[in-house]
Amino acid sequence: MAASADEMFLIEARLLTESLEAGLLDMQERPGDKGLIDSVFRDLHTLKGSGAMFGHAELAHFLHDFETAFETVREGKLSVSPPLVKLGLRACDHAVSLLDGGPPGPGAALLDELRALVSGELPQGAGRPWRLSFRLAPDCLVLGARPQALLDELRQLGADEIEPILDDLPELADLIADRLYIGWRMTLPPDLTEEAIREVFVFNDEGLALDLAREGASPDTRPPGEEAGPVAPAGGGARDRAMMRVPAERLDELMDRVGELVIAEARLAELVAADGNPNLVAVSEEIKRLASGMRETTMSIRMTPIETITGRFRRLVHDLNDQLGKTIALVVEGEETELDKTVIELLADPLLHMIRNSADHGLEDAASRLAMGKPATGTIRLSARYSGAEVAITLADDGRGLDLARIRAKAVARGLIPVDADLDEAAIRALILQPGFSTAESVTELSGRGVGMDVVRRTVDQLRGSVEVDSEPGHGTRIRMRLPLTLAIIDGLLVEIGGERYSIPLAAVEHIIELPREQARNSNGMRFLNVRGQLVPFLRMRDLLASTGDPGPFQKVVVVTAGELRVGLTVDRIIGSSQTVIKQLSPLHSALKTFSGATVLGDGSVALILDVPQLVAFGQARDSMEAA
Amino acid sequence: MSVPTHPAARGRADATMVTLSLGDELVAVPTAILREVIEPGPITRVPNAPGFATGLINVRGMVVPLTDLRIPLRMPIRPPDADTRILVLDLPLEGIPAIVGIMAEQVHEVTEVAGAALDEVPSVGARWPRRFVQAVGRKGPRFFIIPDLDAIFAEHLVGADPSRPNL
């Protein structure tokens, strides 16, 4: 059940190192940003504090000096310099390695470098006593905080002139017994470090408002309360709100439960519809509304912004700048775009690989760029945006573009295509996503793990999305992925084909038209339909699904889209739309590409879900085969 | 097979088994992997799936593949009737825990089978492929066979019927 304290610490520590890394990278661009400096300091401080608490003495010891260094930065006595940021990043890596149980050895060298960097710039404490005022979170008593113990601890540090702040004390009638209304202010001896004082609050920093300044120092005008939660990473206005960390499995469990609820609700609705009792109908409607609300909320809990993985990309590009001797900028657009957490996790590796690829193969060095009249800095642009029930993620670079002749030659050499294959440009570009295309030769130190671009295609397929490659010689390459927003529950269009029911993801449905009579009869004739002036190929689903049942008298065509492509699916009857809980097919059936999963209908029977991108690809492929 | 097997399914040890009829023969499956026996409800046909696993059923909200051991064991098939049941089994597929259903023409009883009462599959005279049968045993006057479920399922994983269209 509950993760052990150490596990929780490790999870927290990982988040902190990520936040720290992001903060340092941002700091490089905005060295003067005080909010950033605070955030980096807080991350270091919390990491060190909780590290010590959970017995990671090595980590705490190592981070101590870095914390001190950034404290001096915070006090304005040391300026943010590129070497300091670089060193910070390496320290961050070392901290991660320590958390993973790595050897403490490399730490000493880093600390030596740090000392060399800050030596001479560290003035001694100003020698004036500290003025401290603080206020704990009002609900901290419920959570087990003991202000008395805190005050005792402060007394041991030498606190003097302790007095309560009673401004917020309400009228007696309004007083809630377990709420804390009182703050305290006091004086502390001058020889204490700021860190030592803050350390006292390490268990109570949730919702803590703390004001600490040397006496007589320029009055800090921030009223207590201004200082937000303990971890307020750079640029994260939205993150100041109260957060709660939940193990991912519980979210999956919750999603399963909601799935069952949706199915039970559909069953109830069917029974009630047959029964016709208006009271029952009303209750059933209400439950339907609640279930659909539950579904929305649960899905929104699972939605994670892309920015949770972009930190890694920034870091990668930062490192690549050094390793490749090129100047590369990473521009990320639409970082707030949210996707199901599973999708995000699966995307991280392919995107890392694509960025590496762009930097390694796509972008030219500064000299060649200038010679071509391009800016010296190569740009890799990662953008994410919603488009219908999908998210489009595009990775574009302004490099040299794909060399089609070389790709072709390489594909022939690797035996992927015959020498005389007749491929158009799009088909040649798509070759780079083929398994076995990028092998040994392109696996440099950067391309690292030996994964090729085919991992991109594989991941996208797994997520039931699509990917296309676009490129213009001399101007760059663009890879665009389209992914479904969620994997768990979709709105489905239920149809009947040969007496059997199938579900089509509603988001992919463009429109529904009658199948013209002459085409309904003639199964060998034209396989195109005129849909609003456009010829759309269509698939006779009865044939494709080997249906034996009777066709309906009035066949319909459901026009579905994947990316820019469309295909019509002939069905006998449209039953209606419903919430569809997607269940994966077992390995016994996963080779059947026609279906992306199955779902349980209101009457308890199972319906297969048609895989639209696969059907569209199939329809288009057959179309071009016949055209040839 | 490299797939780890439930100890009870390995044949030689004493085990509690459930016996069922398939193609006029008696077949035994260890109760250790039996979740429940259900009456067949609606079965959804999976187009273009191999004959061994042509259907899907709903077992308490889970979508479970329905399989027919008569296909790999080359037994005659007859249409379902009032005695037809489905055995719901816990069986790892590709090393991942999974739930599958197997058809039974009739389910008989749960019985103790002594490991010593089991024999190797005779090399001649058997109708079924030897690789799919773990052992044969005798219960009173009748013989029964213990199918090698791991071997059977492993052979049908990621299988699409090659003779039928698939995208």
Side-chain angles (χ1 to χ4, degrees), chain A residues 152-458:
Chain A
D152 283 348
E153 207 172 324
L154 288 164
R155 263 187 213 104
Q156 276 173 18
L157 287 178
D160 201 9
E161 302 169 44
I162 302 179
E163 51 186 76
I165 310 172
L166 300 171
D167 310 351
D168 283 0
L169 208 59
E171 294 295 318
L172 192 57
D174 299 332
L175 202 75
I176 303 167
D178 57 7
R179 261 184 108 72
L180 181 65
Y181 298 97
I182 308 170
W184 284 272
R185 66 171 77 92
M186 64 200 68
T187 313
L188 287 156
D191 55 321
L192 288 173
T193 61
E194 174 167 0
E195 164 201 58
I197 300 171
R198 287 183 184 268
E199 194 110 318
V200 174
F201 296 94
V202 74
F203 292 107
N204 293 285
D205 56 0
E206 196 82 34
L208 173 73
L210 182 139
D211 198 21
L212 181 64
R214 293 216 180 250
E215 203 155 71
S218 62
D220 198 336
T221 46
R222 276 179 308 176
E226 198 83 321
E227 198 164 319
V231 187
R239 290 207 217 156
D240 291 353
R241 281 170 277 152
M243 289 288 205
M244 189 174 152
R245 235 163 260 141
V246 178
E249 310 89 70
R250 284 198 212 162
L251 285 186
D252 293 340
E253 225 171 85
L254 181 64
M255 198 71 223
D256 286 347
R257 295 263 186 287
V258 171
E260 284 170 39
L261 177 67
V262 167
I263 291 167
E265 180 272 314
R267 251 171 66 200
L268 178 68
E270 281 213 4
L271 291 175
V272 167
D275 180 84
N277 178 334
N279 287 333
L280 284 182
V281 171
V283 174
S284 155
E285 289 285 317
E286 178 71 5
I287 288 180
K288 179 182 184 145
R289 199 180 55 76
L290 291 172
S292 124
M294 276 290 289
R295 179 197 118 172
E296 296 281 313
T297 312
T298 309
M299 280 179 19
S300 75
I301 294 177
R302 293 169 56 94
M303 295 306 254
T304 316
I306 292 217
E307 70 179 333
T308 50
I309 51 171
T310 48
R312 289 180 231 176
F313 305 153
R314 292 221 164 82
R315 178 64 195 273
L316 173 72
V317 169
H318 172 91
D319 291 353
L320 286 177
N321 264 311
D322 284 353
Q323 292 176 29
L324 293 174
K326 300 177 184 175
T327 346
I328 307 163
L330 175 70
V331 179
V332 185
E333 289 163 357
E335 267 186 295
E336 68 289 346
T337 312
E338 294 184 327
L339 276 155
D340 190 282
K341 69 174 178 61
T342 320
V343 180
I344 296 255
E345 281 156 20
L346 284 171
L347 273 183
D349 271 355
L351 281 173
L352 273 177
H353 187 78
M354 284 158 69
I355 291 172
R356 256 191 221 120
N357 231 32
S358 272
D360 206 358
H361 306 303
L363 295 175
E364 315 89 336
D365 58 45
S368 349
R369 290 182 63 89
L370 287 171
M372 293 177 67
K374 295 194 205 178
T377 302
T379 305
I380 298 176
R381 193 176 295 271
L382 173 68
S383 72
R385 60 179 178 81
Y386 297 109
S387 104
E390 292 183 320
V391 169
I393 296 178
T394 310
L395 189 88
D397 67 54
D398 62 352
R400 55 172 76 93
L402 296 177
D403 182 341
L404 294 185
R406 247 192 76 214
I407 291 173
R408 204 199 144 92
K410 191 168 162 192
V412 171
R414 299 236 185 277
L416 296 175
I417 52 166
V419 186
D420 55 354
D422 180 25
L423 298 174
D424 61 13
E425 290 192 357
I428 296 176
R429 287 196 295 264
L431 284 172
I432 64 166
L433 301 173
Q434 286 279 326
F437 181 79
S438 45
T439 43
E441 175 187 329
S442 60
V443 178
T444 60
E445 189 222 336
L446 296 175
S447 310
R449 282 173 261 189
V451 286
M453 287 291 281
D454 60 314
V455 75
V456 176
R457 149 121 327 140
R458 224 177 25 243

Side-chain angles (χ1 to χ4, degrees), chain B residues 15-100:
Chain B
T16 312
M17 299 255 177
V18 59
T19 56
L20 51 125
S21 291
L22 275 182
D24 300 323
E25 294 196 53
L26 214 50
V27 171
V29 171
T31 52
I33 61 168
L34 179 67
R35 280 175 88 98
E36 59 185 318
V37 178
I38 57 174
E39 300 202 8
I43 298 170
T44 299
R45 182 180 70 96
V46 182
N48 310 325
F52 170 62
T54 53
L56 295 175
I57 51 171
N58 168 8
V59 180
R60 299 175 201 290
M62 293 174 298
V63 174
V64 171
L66 177 62
T67 60
D68 192 340
L69 297 180
R70 290 173 297 190
I71 303 281
L73 294 175
R74 296 199 201 127
M75 292 170 166
I77 309 253
R78 62 169 207 227
D81 58 29
D83 288 330
T84 305
R85 295 289 180 276
I86 293 169
L87 272 66
V88 182
L89 307 180
D90 280 313
L91 202 69
L93 298 178
E94 294 182 328
I96 298 160
I99 298 171
V100 300

